[in-house]
Amino acid sequence: MIKAEEILEEFIGALEADSFFDDIKIIKAYPHSIKPSFPSNAVVAAGIKHIELDDSGVMQSIKTGKYSIFTDIFVPYSLNRQRLEDIVFRISGDVAKFNIISIEITGANADNTAECFVMRAVFTFGGEIGFGEVSQ
């Protein structure tokens, strides 16, 4: 079971534990159009996209469902665009332990505001989800 309030932290923690990401900044996402940045190295911005729950218990309340986390991957124009794919596939491997149901990856786009190539990947996971204090 994963606690809903820990979903994003556990996802980001899995990436931060991988030395591949030592030179890549990993942050919680905020709309980059609000505060345009010009990163000098790759950045992964992660956020919760969607949580969907069902009460699957018989004679008890067991919440199961799906949750999706998006990652916006920014790679400056000065770096090789191939870095986008390297990063997204490494993320996929690092978070596979969370019971991935699907991965949706958009093609790379140029973002002239941030002067970067950008790719979005949405990872959807399934399983039991708890809220607040969870006794095990």
Side-chain angles (χ1 to χ4, degrees):
M1 175 189 319
I2 189 165
K3 288 183 178 182
E5 56 272 15
E6 296 175 0
I7 289 171
L8 188 56
E9 284 74 18
E10 288 195 30
F11 184 94
I12 289 173
L15 303 185
E16 291 175 337
D18 184 346
S19 63
F20 175 86
F21 291 100
D22 285 351
D23 66 339
I24 298 170
K25 188 171 188 168
I26 301 169
I27 62 173
K28 289 184 182 178
Y30 63 91
H32 62 279
S33 60
I34 291 173
K35 180 184 177 285
S37 300
F38 306 100
S40 58
N41 207 345
V43 174
V44 174
I48 295 175
K49 181 174 190 230
H50 182 80
I51 297 177
E52 179 181 318
L53 287 177
D54 289 315
D55 195 350
S56 63
V58 176
M59 304 297 287
Q60 57 184 330
S61 181
I62 299 174
K63 305 294 184 204
T64 60
K66 300 185 286 188
Y67 57 96
S68 298
I69 296 177
F70 70 88
T71 56
D72 288 331
I73 303 164
F74 297 85
V75 172
Y77 291 152
S78 61
L79 299 178
N80 185 334
R81 187 171 163 247
Q82 176 63 40
R83 189 90 169 118
L84 288 168
E85 286 86 4
D86 296 342
I87 293 169
V88 78
F89 291 124
R90 191 60 175 245
I91 292 171
S92 300
D94 285 346
V95 301
K97 65 181 180 181
F98 296 123
N99 191 27
I100 294 176
I101 295 173
S102 68
I103 303 172
E104 180 184 341
I105 302 171
T106 63
N109 295 308
D111 184 330
N112 291 328
T113 304
E115 297 181 2
C116 290
F117 297 109
V118 181
M119 177 181 284
R120 175 167 274 202
V122 178
F123 300 86
T124 301
F125 307 92
E128 190 174 348
I129 303 172
F131 291 88
E133 287 295 318
V134 178
S135 58
Q136 300 206 359

